[in-house]
Amino acid sequence: MNDTYLELDNKFEEKVYAGVLGKIIGVYLGRPFEGWPYKKIMKELGPINYFVNERLDAPLHVTDDDLSGTFTFIKALRDFNFDKNISAKQIGQTWLNYCLENQTILAWAGKGILTEESAYMNLKQGIHAPESGSIKLNGKVIAEQIGAQIFIDGWGLVSPGDPELAVEFAKKAGSVSHDGESVYGAQVVAAMEAMAFTENDTKKIIEHCKNYAPKNSVIYKLISDIQDWSSGNLDWEQARSKIEDKYGYDKFPGNCHIVPNHALIILALLFGEDNFQKSLMIVNTAGWDTDCNSGNVGCFLGIKNGLKGIKDGPDYISPVNDIIYLPSAYGSETMTDALLESQNIINITRRINGLESKVIKDNARYNFEMPESTQGWMVDKANDNNLNTKISNIDHISEKGSRALQVSFSDLSFGCASEIYVDSFFPEWFTKLEGYQVQRYFHYDYVACPTIYSGQKIIAEFSAVSEKNIRVNLFIKYWGENDKLVKLSSDGFDFEDNESKMIEWTIPDTLSNPIGQIGISINSDDNCTGKILINSLDIAGTPKMTFKRPDHIDEFKRGVLYKEETYGQLWKRAWVNDVDKWQFRWQEAFKIVRGIGRGHIMTGSASWKNYTVSSKIMIPLASSGGLLVRSQGLKRYYSLELTSENKLKINKMQYDLKTLKEIDFKFEYFKEYELKFKVVDNSLQGFVDGKLMIEVEDTSDPFTEGMIGFLTENGAIQSKSISIE
């Protein structure tokens, strides 16, 4: 750890949270007019002083590569045991684990069109980083587009006060997909963000960090030019014009070159007077790749100036509400929030520096342990009474923490409840999108697993401050027939004034329908005003349920044509899949095909640890097929497989496939087998037709948690259902 930053204290943690929040705000601010030039922005929108999504009929909360890549690829450090010396090859392997081809993280415009996809295809063909992103392999134009810079903030965030470490990380991470000027720009941004933890003078930071680009590079020269322009009598518009003349898009071929966009980041920081709103106004009004540039600027200023700097202007924080979607092959990590991602980064930073992870409120999913944090919770405005309900983050000293989410209510009375909720899967407003909005929103596909399932428990700690007794009910809403939310509530928990207690509720059977919301309802038999403090809320345990096609989904009927729409199949969207085809209207709900290679469908949560998964499967034709446990993506899981070579295997996929144990087994196509795969700590057991057939212990870097699912290789596998307990 660099000595300039003495300890990973509360000040550091707030800077991380502010940096993550600043990144999200910046991306959401610039996304609706991404790619617009300055003149078009000025003509149609004027200076961008605040969110303009409503003016452009665009949602605020979106899936976006700037966010998904930034907060997913940094998990390479977690997956490779927090090694500061992580290699470019290992970061490239992380891409293969989390990227779902043509679905998540990247824009998927085509090899030769998009730099990131070109590099992904190289990785897929066995060309490791840094060769995968090299100029030698991909050519100078492709290799020097913007992508290395847009994904880089996470590497600066885990290097507080240590720009040299940030540069090493950025060089390796950037080289997975890019080379040359693109990597130089990424190194400069990462170094600036690392230095922003300990240095408050932006000009000093830029002057120091430009030296992390070679002095003969375009990046170094453009920074020097903008420094000169900012020290004279030019305003930011005049400097922007000079950037366009010397470093504009017409000077650098390709879809989205690093050089013009890096220039706008430096422009905003040198002319923005360290003001969050003004700096974001400049970088967004200046145009080009607005969400990318705005995200980098927002992250830098969030780190340097903290939450106070973000709040020194209009309210950016409340509309964002901490919400962030990170779709990847680890679908349980899609539905997340700014606080959770910042705490992940904080613990990665601690671990790479030899410290233990920080346990916050027993690692409860919702802990609210940062000023301003709401973790995506919101008031249910469908209930008129909720016009008198507000949520806010407050100081609240308890045995486990120092903050809580306060739910203030007034004029409760019999039959009129105050309700708040948080999305746990496909948000309801997605189903309101129509026509072009669907295409536009799902440009980066939303792939997710629910965060809660039947058989798990909600465990919450509440404190009541109320003039009269109140009753609290926990509830869920699941996606049922015709994509309508169906509500299930717990029994009531009574609270007296100033009473604090833990409550818990086991989630009832939702009939294989995915849960879309978790909620809290506050009731009183008398007119009542007060507040509830939510100290923490956790989702605990392993589900006990069977996954099958819900009863409201019709089976296939010959002669009837079925067209699968965006909506109407939310039970199916609760599964991550990279198969070629998934036919689900036959007698079998899970008839999955992967013609060449290994294909998977998976659902579940990172909190699932010790459990048994079982299913009756049939293989019409495949080289292997079976069940997955503790899956953490496409390249990290255990599998129990029947093979066409008459073997029963327990395999471990850890970027490469390794057989932990195999036995002879006479296998037949079109024969049904009841498979059961049990995992307890390091022990894995495989059962066939009720008999224990194979078992093994994995003590070498074992997977301890993850999703369940099916696997097929070079063919098809089919099943009616799959169960977990």
Side-chain angles (χ1 to χ4, degrees):
M1 186 74 188
N2 191 296
D3 290 339
T4 58
Y5 205 86
L6 299 179
E7 59 179 317
L8 302 181
D9 57 7
N10 291 339
K11 180 181 177 182
F12 153 74
E13 292 179 2
E14 183 177 314
K15 282 179 173 286
V16 170
Y17 176 59
V20 171
L21 202 54
K23 172 78 172 183
I24 299 169
I25 292 167
V27 170
Y28 290 169
L29 195 62
R31 172 67 182 277
F33 50 92
E34 178 184 9
W36 289 23
Y38 169 75
K39 290 181 180 178
K40 179 178 173 68
I41 292 171
M42 288 300 294
K43 179 181 178 181
E44 299 188 24
L45 297 171
I48 307 299
N49 288 305
Y50 196 61
F51 299 116
V52 298
N53 55 292
E54 290 186 358
R55 293 166 62 185
L56 295 174
D57 194 26
L60 180 66
H61 302 104
V62 294
T63 51
D64 192 279
D65 57 341
D66 302 60
L67 298 175
S68 296
T70 297
F71 297 113
T72 298
F73 297 149
I74 191 65
K75 292 171 184 174
L77 286 168
R78 176 190 71 182
D79 295 344
F80 285 96
N81 299 315
F82 307 100
D83 184 1
K84 275 189 179 181
N85 297 312
I86 192 171
S87 67
K89 176 182 176 180
Q90 290 170 321
I91 301 172
Q93 289 173 312
T94 301
W95 279 50
L96 292 176
N97 184 53
Y98 290 109
C99 288
L100 279 166
E101 189 173 342
N102 294 318
Q103 296 183 69
T104 65
I105 301 182
L106 309 181
W108 304 107
K111 183 173 182 178
I113 304 299
L114 181 75
T115 301
E116 293 81 8
E117 186 170 353
S118 302
Y120 172 86
M121 292 301 175
N122 293 334
L123 293 167
K124 187 179 174 183
Q125 293 175 70
I127 302 169
H128 295 297
E131 288 77 18
S132 56
S134 66
I135 289 175
K136 179 180 179 181
L137 190 63
N138 300 327
K140 184 175 175 65
V141 171
I142 293 291
E144 292 191 334
Q145 301 301 303
I146 195 174
Q149 181 171 272
I150 72 175
F151 297 154
I152 216 62
D153 307 275
W155 303 96
L157 285 163
V158 298
S159 309
D162 195 344
E164 286 81 12
L165 177 62
V167 168
E168 284 301 306
F169 282 151
K171 182 177 181 180
K172 294 171 184 175
S175 73
V176 174
S177 51
H178 292 76
D179 200 354
E181 299 291 344
S182 185
V183 174
Y184 304 152
Q187 291 174 180
V188 170
V189 171
M192 288 169 54
E193 291 172 342
M195 195 171 173
F197 281 94
T198 54
E199 172 59 60
N200 197 47
D201 189 323
T202 297
K203 292 182 179 179
K204 285 184 180 179
I205 292 173
I206 292 174
E207 175 61 26
H208 178 83
C209 292
K210 76 175 184 179
N211 293 295
Y212 293 114
K215 287 185 170 53
N216 63 349
S217 67
V218 180
I219 293 293
Y220 184 94
K221 293 174 183 175
L222 77 81
I223 294 174
S224 299
D225 281 345
I226 301 170
Q227 286 175 312
D228 290 342
W229 301 335
S230 68
S231 63
N233 295 319
L234 299 181
D235 59 26
W236 77 264
E237 291 99 331
Q238 292 169 318
R240 187 216 62 82
S241 182
K242 293 176 78 69
I243 288 172
E244 186 170 24
D245 290 343
K246 189 170 183 179
Y247 298 108
Y249 265 21
D250 59 321
K251 312 297 190 300
F252 298 92
N255 283 341
C256 191
H257 202 277
I258 178 73
V259 167
N261 291 292
H262 188 87
L264 296 188
I265 291 172
I266 303 302
L267 172 77
L269 293 176
L270 287 176
F271 284 87
E273 301 176 348
D274 274 345
N275 180 271
F276 189 80
Q277 183 188 26
K278 183 175 181 180
S279 300
L280 289 182
M281 181 277 291
I282 292 172
V283 79
N284 280 291
T285 309
W288 294 331
D289 201 350
T290 47
D291 60 337
C292 300
N293 304 333
S294 180
N296 290 133
V297 170
C299 184
F300 172 83
L301 289 174
I303 295 169
K304 193 177 78 68
N305 298 336
L307 288 172
K308 183 177 183 297
I310 295 176
K311 294 169 65 178
D312 187 20
D315 179 13
Y316 291 106
I317 296 176
S318 296
V320 168
N321 196 27
D322 270 358
I323 293 171
I324 178 174
Y325 308 131
L326 303 179
S328 78
Y330 203 171
S332 68
E333 297 184 331
T334 295
M335 185 66 72
T336 183
D337 57 73
L339 181 58
L340 182 60
E341 293 309 308
S342 68
Q343 289 171 345
N344 288 339
I345 287 171
I346 288 164
N347 279 333
I348 288 173
T349 309
R350 292 177 62 86
R351 293 295 299 276
I352 66 175
N353 286 287
L355 302 173
E356 291 297 315
S357 294
K358 187 173 183 178
V359 176
I360 301 174
K361 296 181 180 176
D362 298 327
N363 288 329
R365 172 60 181 84
Y366 300 100
N367 60 68
F368 312 109
E369 199 68 3
M370 190 65 69
E372 308 298 330
S373 175
T374 53
Q375 294 196 264
W377 284 83
M378 62 196 91
V379 175
D380 185 354
K381 295 180 180 179
N383 183 330
D384 290 341
N385 186 71
N386 281 290
L387 298 175
N388 299 324
T389 304
K390 292 181 172 38
I391 61 173
S392 59
N393 187 291
I394 64 163
D395 291 315
H396 176 63
I397 303 300
S398 66
E399 292 182 1
K400 298 179 181 178
S402 59
R403 306 202 66 82
L405 188 71
Q406 177 176 279
V407 186
S408 302
F409 53 86
S410 63
D411 296 326
L412 288 187
S413 59
F414 184 78
C416 294
S418 280
E419 293 189 350
I420 67 168
Y421 71 95
V422 67
D423 288 320
S424 58
F425 177 46
F426 205 87
E428 185 176 18
W429 67 267
F430 284 14
T431 65
K432 312 298 183 185
L433 301 176
E434 296 180 348
Y436 176 67
Q437 286 184 321
V438 175
Q439 180 183 355
R440 183 179 182 186
Y441 183 80
F442 288 107
H443 176 67
Y444 301 100
D445 202 0
Y446 181 88
V447 175
C449 301
T451 59
I452 186 169
Y453 295 78
S454 297
Q456 292 189 285
K457 289 183 178 181
I458 296 176
I459 302 175
E461 183 178 358
F462 293 161
S463 299
V465 181
S466 172
E467 57 192 24
K468 297 177 182 177
N469 293 348
I470 60 173
R471 184 177 305 106
V472 172
N473 297 83
L474 300 173
F475 68 82
I476 58 156
K477 292 183 180 179
Y478 67 82
W479 286 109
E481 186 173 1
N482 297 320
D483 287 343
K484 300 300 182 185
L485 286 169
V486 179
K487 185 177 182 180
L488 297 176
S489 295
S490 72
D491 293 334
F493 299 91
D494 294 326
F495 283 82
E496 298 178 352
D497 185 27
N498 291 318
E499 182 179 9
S500 299
K501 62 183 175 184
M502 299 287 295
I503 63 174
E504 66 176 59
W505 177 45
T506 300
I507 305 303
D509 189 359
T510 62
L511 308 175
S512 296
N513 293 294
I515 298 171
Q517 293 178 8
I518 303 169
I520 299 165
S521 180
I522 307 167
N523 310 269
S524 178
D525 292 337
D526 303 304
N527 186 278
C528 180
T529 296
K531 55 194 176 185
I532 281 281
L533 305 184
I534 308 172
N535 189 43
S536 65
L537 186 145
D538 197 21
I539 302 162
T542 302
K544 185 174 183 180
M545 65 175 295
T546 295
F547 298 90
K548 61 183 182 63
R549 181 179 55 239
D551 292 340
H552 59 82
I553 304 295
D554 294 336
E555 286 189 22
F556 174 80
K557 297 177 182 178
R558 295 189 182 276
V560 177
L561 295 179
Y562 291 95
K563 183 179 179 182
E564 186 174 349
E565 304 290 349
T566 302
Y567 309 119
Q569 306 296 339
L570 292 187
W571 74 276
K572 187 169 178 274
R573 291 191 71 99
W575 292 75
V576 171
N577 86 78
D578 70 335
V579 296
D580 297 332
K581 294 181 177 64
W582 177 359
Q583 300 175 16
F584 61 92
R585 288 187 181 271
W586 297 87
Q587 187 178 10
E588 300 84 13
F590 303 98
K591 188 188 288 282
I592 60 173
V593 182
R594 184 64 182 261
I596 299 174
R598 294 170 74 84
H600 321 75
I601 69 167
M602 302 170 286
T603 195
S605 168
S607 66
W608 297 7
K609 300 182 184 299
N610 295 328
Y611 54 80
T612 300
V613 59
S614 58
S615 178
K616 293 180 179 179
I617 71 165
M618 179 185 293
I619 300 177
L621 178 64
S623 58
S624 69
L627 305 179
L628 302 174
V629 297
R630 289 184 179 168
S631 173
Q632 300 171 4
L634 301 180
K635 298 291 184 179
R636 293 171 62 86
Y637 58 76
Y638 295 115
S639 59
L640 175 66
E641 301 182 38
L642 295 167
T643 80
S644 60
E645 297 177 339
N646 292 313
K647 300 289 185 182
L648 177 66
K649 297 183 177 183
I650 294 179
N651 286 332
K652 182 181 185 181
M653 172 62 82
Q654 194 170 24
Y655 309 107
D656 295 308
L657 189 65
K658 176 184 178 182
T659 296
L660 298 180
K661 190 169 183 179
E662 68 176 36
I663 62 171
D664 293 331
F665 183 88
K666 184 172 176 53
F667 166 76
E668 297 180 36
Y669 291 130
F670 284 100
K671 180 178 179 180
E672 186 176 77
Y673 297 94
E674 183 178 1
L675 296 186
K676 185 164 70 173
F677 199 7
K678 183 177 183 179
V679 56
V680 178
D681 299 330
N682 295 335
S683 173
L684 299 104
Q685 296 179 320
F687 299 76
V688 181
D689 296 332
K691 182 180 179 181
L692 176 61
M693 301 289 291
I694 185 171
E695 58 184 325
V696 68
E697 285 202 0
D698 181 24
T699 57
S700 176
D701 193 18
F703 304 139
T704 59
E705 58 199 23
M707 303 179 290
I708 67 168
F710 292 104
L711 161 79
T712 184
E713 183 174 15
N714 302 323
I717 183 176
Q718 59 193 48
S719 175
K720 293 180 180 179
S721 65
I722 182 171
S723 300
I724 182 173
E725 60 181 359

